[in-house]
Amino acid sequence: VKEDIFYKVESLRDGTSFSSRRVSAFQNDGNEIFSMLSSFQNSECDLEHQKEYMSPNLSSPYGEKLEIHPKLPPFLKNLYSGKLPLEINLLATHKEDKEHGYWFRIGEMTNEEERKLNRILLSYISDFSFLTVALKPHGVNLWDGRIQAATISHSLYYHRDVRLSDWHLFQIYSPVMRGARGLVVGHIFDQSGNLCATSMQEGLLRRMDKD
């Protein structure tokens, strides 16, 4: 993290409604460490629906909180303790629950800042407490030091504009884990139950203590 990172942006397509870009990041004498495909669309009003089962059971952002794991890195302890501008309230769950969720919001921003930063910040938040949900059905915790973890791919689909100074709910579940690879799916809702974004991630989750 102390080395400079150089970004290269390639224009792949500029159409009437959609544009596409490829972003590559390089470090340490030109080694590519990151690549991203981004698609942009002009705002449109057209057909619209949201499946009923996609409407969440909206609890209060100030409800019962999950106990913070004692082995969390200091940065995450500060994050979950409300000591940073990004406020996260983890939802209390039982060990048998296969889903996970948390409420989040960011301190007040000016209108100009919101237009520039809301979707950028949502991309950043979409990776918090995400891949590790694939470990919940197995009773394993990433912070116990027994799991080798790494992200393979991460996708984020925006459905609505967001105002992150308001509370949003991130609900996450894992449909499958096999071959040391876990898949997680997350849905981000506003307080009215509108689905604002969907995120998917596949990652390496390999036991280090297996025979």
Side-chain angles (χ1 to χ4, degrees), residues 50-98:
Q50 178 176 323
K51 285 284 191 181
E52 289 185 7
Y53 71 84
M54 296 301 299
S55 298
N57 181 16
L58 292 171
S59 58
S60 169
Y62 304 102
E64 185 183 3
K65 297 181 182 180
L66 186 69
E67 183 179 351
I68 297 176
H69 195 281
K71 293 185 179 180
L72 280 180
F75 166 74
L76 290 178
K77 286 184 178 179
N78 290 335
L79 175 66
Y80 296 142
S81 299
K83 297 180 180 179
L84 298 177
L86 172 60
E87 187 175 358
I88 290 183
N89 287 347
L90 296 170
L91 301 181
T93 57
H94 301 287
K95 291 183 178 180
E96 61 270 17
D97 291 343
K98 295 181 174 59

